[in-house]
């Protein structure tokens, strides 16, 4: 059974960097044809895909966030991280990490962590 757990600060000040970690158990990040994504849901809005790190280590980002987002991993800890810089209150959301299968469909996801951007 694969489990994902998000962790990070619940409150970030505007203009600072939001940094979250997803700790994965039950399977390696490098397992063939699996992809590790970050998504978020802002209050009253739908899910927004932010970016992904593939089993090869290659990353892809949402065009709207390019320049502000960075996803990386530590395979020795089986963790992948999200960094979003220059945050504004519009980045307030519940952030989720998920595993996507070979068809890019999510098959496991974490419970999410609410991050509020406020001074």
């Amino acid at each position: 059974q694969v489990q994902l757990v998000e962790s990070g600060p619940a409150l970030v000040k505007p203009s600072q960097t939001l940094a979250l970690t997803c700790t994965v158990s039950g399977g390696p990040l490098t397992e063939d044809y699996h992809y590790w994504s970050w998504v978020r849901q802002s209050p009253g809005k739908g899910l927004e895909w932010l970016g992904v790190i593939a089993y090869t280590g290659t990353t892809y980002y949402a065009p709207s966030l390019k320049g502000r987002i960075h996803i990386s991993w530590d395979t020795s800890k089986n963790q992948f991280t999200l960094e979003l810089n220059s945050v504004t209150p519009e980045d307030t959301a519940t952030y989720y990490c998920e595993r996507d299968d070979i068809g890019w469909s999510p098959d496991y996801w974490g419970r999410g962590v609410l991050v509020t951007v406020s001074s």
Side-chain angles (χ1 to χ4, degrees):
Q1 181 79 1
V2 175
Q3 292 187 322
L4 297 88
V5 178
E6 304 92 344
S7 59
L11 180 65
V12 181
K13 293 184 188 297
S15 80
Q16 292 188 341
T17 296
L18 180 160
L20 298 174
T21 297
C22 183
T23 301
V24 180
S25 59
L29 295 179
T30 55
E31 185 174 0
D32 282 351
Y33 309 117
H34 285 93
Y35 306 85
W36 306 91
S37 292
W38 286 98
V39 299
R40 70 182 180 184
Q41 186 164 25
S42 303
K45 298 184 181 179
L47 278 174
E48 177 185 9
W49 178 81
L50 305 180
V52 62
I53 185 164
Y55 61 100
T56 56
T58 303
T59 54
Y60 304 92
Y61 302 128
S64 61
L65 295 175
K66 257 188 173 177
R68 289 208 297 139
I69 186 172
H70 180 65
I71 296 175
S72 59
W73 67 4
D74 184 337
T75 56
S76 68
K77 296 180 180 179
N78 225 40
Q79 296 175 331
F80 65 107
T81 62
L82 166 72
E83 291 180 329
L84 187 64
N85 57 41
S86 304
V87 296
T88 71
E90 291 191 348
D91 294 307
T92 294
T94 298
Y95 287 76
Y96 301 88
C97 58
E98 65 179 40
R99 190 185 82 166
D100 305 319
D101 64 16
I102 191 172
W104 292 81
S105 295
D107 55 3
Y108 293 97
W109 49 90
R111 292 187 174 184
V113 59
L114 173 62
V115 180
T116 300
V117 179
S118 175
S119 54

